[in-house]
Amino acid sequence: MGEPHPATVLNVNDDDANRYLVNRLLSLAGYNVVEAATGMGALLMAQQHRPDVIILDVKLPDISGYEVCERLRANPQTAAMAVLHTSATFVTSDKKVRGLDGGADAYLTQPFEGAELIATVKSLLRLRHAEQVARQRANALAEMDRRKDEFLAMLGHELRNPLAAIMTAIGILERRPTSDDKEARMRGIIQRQTNHLARLVDDLLDVSRITRDKVELRPGSVDLVPVLRQVLQIVQPMADSRGLGLDVSLPSGPLWLQADATRLEQVFTNLLDNAIKYTDAGGVHLRAEQEGVGGAAQAVVRVKDSGIGIPPEVLPHIFELFAQADTSLERSRGGLGIGLTLVRKLIQLHGGEVTARSNGPGHGSEFVVKLPLDHTMGKSAPARDAVDLRRGRRVLVVEDNSDARQAMRDLLELWGHQVAVAPDGLQGVALAMAQPPELALVDIGLPGLDGYRVAQTLRAQVGNGIRLVAMTGYGSPHGRDQALRAGFDRHLVKPVKPDELDRILSEL
């Protein structure tokens, strides 16, 4: 292994004798020395030689050392260089402060001892080395974070594709009545566990966005009461399977919020799912009401259970990432420890707060969510007339996953539509050109011609008469925006629930 290269020091001073003396001291100390007599010369030498340390006199014949330092800091190629100001005339404290505030790392007043100069240079080199190490570590962490995000996006896509096929298939089975109790139970198990897997995938991807403050809301006027009723429909089968009662108290009138309805559904599904999961006997209580009046009025939702409770030492950290109430080795309750982190972040983004209470193990838990009410809403907007697609529309499904493609075809035909299918983008475009469908469901990650290009081609060749719906395993806001720019009318993230698909088709 070779010896490390000696550090390079740029010595900037217009006094020849002073510059020679400093050069001599630095050379004897083992440093490579380059020099300049003017401020502009210093900037040029810094660019050419990339010194580790610049000894910069404040008083120079063209521009001051202060300005030289400011220009060095403003240039990304020289910003990390250590700068030592020296001066024989500007020695007042305010001048030193000006130099340090302007970007200098240290300040020496001439005349100074040679040992003091060399010790200061060594100190600056240690500082520069530490900064380089820290910068390299930060860059490495940033690269690891980027790769992690790419991996999670790909993981989400790969998990959502099979989930989409399973969810569509169970949707078909549910529409075929059965008298076999065992078969009905098996269908219920498949549906509950598929929904649970879909929520875990969503949480896993959302927590990556939350840690980078990339979560986006799409707020609008939302009545919280129907949102909670929808959540109750989702969690009721799980409560039934555990023999738990759901005690619900909702107001008779609306609770209007400026909120993202999808995110609120995610919040309260998480809270109720946790309450049910951590309760072995008794029940779960959901209560929503308005508290306060005027501008201070809030919607308050309480989710209370009679379950395992939260230990006092865990309670202060329950909303932290990967915190768990169930810390036993067997981890029988499952979960990733990220749901409550998502809950807190999403509620904070809505301008609200969430708190947790528990009297300890065995005494249950209560989570209280408070959200500001929207006082501009007096009544709900008039509902739009839904279009009944049951009359039999021409629908094109472009999907490369064979199971998902077949399940979607069977479901749509069960609803009475005429369905054509294609396994890739090129065949999808060819089918649409031969007989234009009224609606096309297009996967984004297609071989050959991806879904974005399919949409652009169909918009250019078929026109705006066709309705286009993107279906993808990538759920990022960027992907949604890109889909809309490509010409899609809607963007759906897999797995798409049959009821949700039915609603979207009706709205289009």
Side-chain angles (χ1 to χ4, degrees), residues 218 262 384-387 389 439-444 451-452 455 459 466-472 474 476 479-494 496 499-508:
R218 291 186 168 265
T262 300
R384 291 180 299 172
D385 293 333
V387 179
L389 294 185
L439 184 139
L441 301 170
V442 184
D443 184 34
I444 294 297
Y452 300 126
R459 281 283 176 248
I466 183 175
R467 296 297 188 186
L468 300 177
V469 178
M471 299 188 303
T472 176
Y474 299 106
S476 68
R480 179 185 59 241
D481 294 339
Q482 188 175 353
L484 296 179
R485 287 196 301 270
F488 284 103
D489 297 289
R490 292 295 179 90
H491 176 268
L492 299 180
V493 177
K494 298 177 182 178
V496 182
D499 290 343
E500 180 184 6
L501 178 63
D502 190 24
R503 177 177 58 82
I504 293 296
L505 297 183
S506 297
E507 290 176 356
L508 291 176

Side-chain angles (χ1 to χ4, degrees), residues 129-166:
H129 176 71
E131 290 176 344
Q132 287 177 334
V133 171
R135 192 178 301 111
Q136 290 169 356
R137 288 177 178 173
N139 291 338
L141 288 173
E143 176 63 16
M144 290 175 61
D145 191 56
R146 184 189 65 79
R147 292 183 180 182
K148 177 204 69 179
D149 292 336
E150 289 180 353
F151 169 77
L152 287 176
M154 183 60 67
L155 177 66
H157 179 267
E158 294 302 316
L159 290 175
R160 280 170 169 157
N161 270 327
L163 283 173
I166 296 171

Side-chain angles (χ1 to χ4, degrees), residues 116-136:
E116 182 183 13
L117 172 66
I118 299 304
T120 304
V121 170
K122 288 181 177 178
S123 174
L124 292 177
L125 286 171
R126 287 195 300 270
L127 177 64
R128 184 174 185 271
H129 176 71
E131 290 176 344
Q132 287 177 334
V133 171
R135 192 178 301 111
Q136 290 169 356

Side-chain angles (χ1 to χ4, degrees), residues 314-365:
V314 175
L315 190 58
H317 310 287
I318 197 67
F319 292 103
E320 295 176 4
L321 193 58
F322 306 127
Q324 295 278 0
D326 181 4
T327 57
S328 58
L329 289 177
E330 64 270 19
R331 289 283 295 111
S332 58
R333 308 285 174 170
L336 300 176
I338 60 180
L340 291 179
T341 304
L342 291 169
V343 166
R344 180 176 63 176
K345 183 63 176 180
L346 292 174
I347 291 300
Q348 289 175 342
L349 288 174
H350 282 89
E353 65 174 357
V354 56
T355 55
R357 304 169 185 168
S358 177
N359 291 326
H363 295 283
S365 309

Side-chain angles (χ1 to χ4, degrees), residues 232-458:
L232 288 168
Q233 291 182 7
I234 295 172
V235 301
Q236 184 69 59
M238 183 178 177
D240 293 342
S241 69
R242 294 180 60 83
L244 300 175
L246 276 178
D247 179 34
V248 180
S249 175
L250 299 178
S252 57
L255 293 172
W256 288 107
L257 311 171
Q258 273 295 316
D260 184 326
T262 300
R263 291 302 190 179
L264 288 184
E265 183 177 316
Q266 185 179 6
V267 163
F268 293 108
T269 300
N270 255 310
L271 291 178
L272 283 166
D273 183 75
N274 272 354
I276 294 169
K277 181 168 60 179
Y278 288 104
T279 301
D280 294 321
V284 174
H285 307 271
L286 172 68
R287 179 181 179 85
E289 58 189 339
Q290 175 178 329
E291 290 187 1
V293 294
Q298 294 178 305
V300 180
V301 181
R302 292 178 169 84
V303 177
K304 188 174 183 180
D305 63 68
S306 56
I308 67 172
I310 305 173
E313 66 274 13
V314 175
L315 190 58
H317 310 287
I318 197 67
F319 292 103
E320 295 176 4
L321 193 58
F322 306 127
Q324 295 278 0
D326 181 4
T327 57
S328 58
L329 289 177
E330 64 270 19
R331 289 283 295 111
S332 58
R333 308 285 174 170
L336 300 176
I338 60 180
L340 291 179
T341 304
L342 291 169
V343 166
R344 180 176 63 176
K345 183 63 176 180
L346 292 174
I347 291 300
Q348 289 175 342
L349 288 174
H350 282 89
E353 65 174 357
V354 56
T355 55
R357 304 169 185 168
S358 177
N359 291 326
H363 295 283
S365 309
E366 182 180 26
F367 288 83
V368 181
V369 175
K370 296 182 179 180
L371 292 163
L373 288 172
D374 180 11
H375 304 285
T376 64
M377 288 298 299
K379 55 184 180 180
S380 61
R384 291 180 299 172
D385 293 333
V387 179
D388 184 10
L389 294 185
R390 295 293 198 275
R391 66 174 177 80
R393 300 274 180 153
R394 295 190 309 278
V395 180
L396 171 64
V397 177
V398 188
E399 167 65 69
D400 63 325
N401 183 291
S402 59
D403 287 338
R405 184 172 64 247
Q406 185 61 51
M408 185 64 68
R409 178 175 193 165
D410 290 343
L411 179 63
L412 292 169
E413 288 180 344
L414 183 64
W415 288 346
H417 301 300
Q418 303 172 37
V419 184
V421 297
D424 58 54
L426 289 173
Q427 293 186 51
V429 169
L431 284 174
M433 297 290 292
Q435 186 176 11
E438 295 170 87
L439 184 139
L441 301 170
V442 184
D443 184 34
I444 294 297
L446 294 170
L449 198 67
D450 66 35
Y452 300 126
R453 294 169 63 191
V454 169
Q456 293 167 349
T457 303
L458 293 181

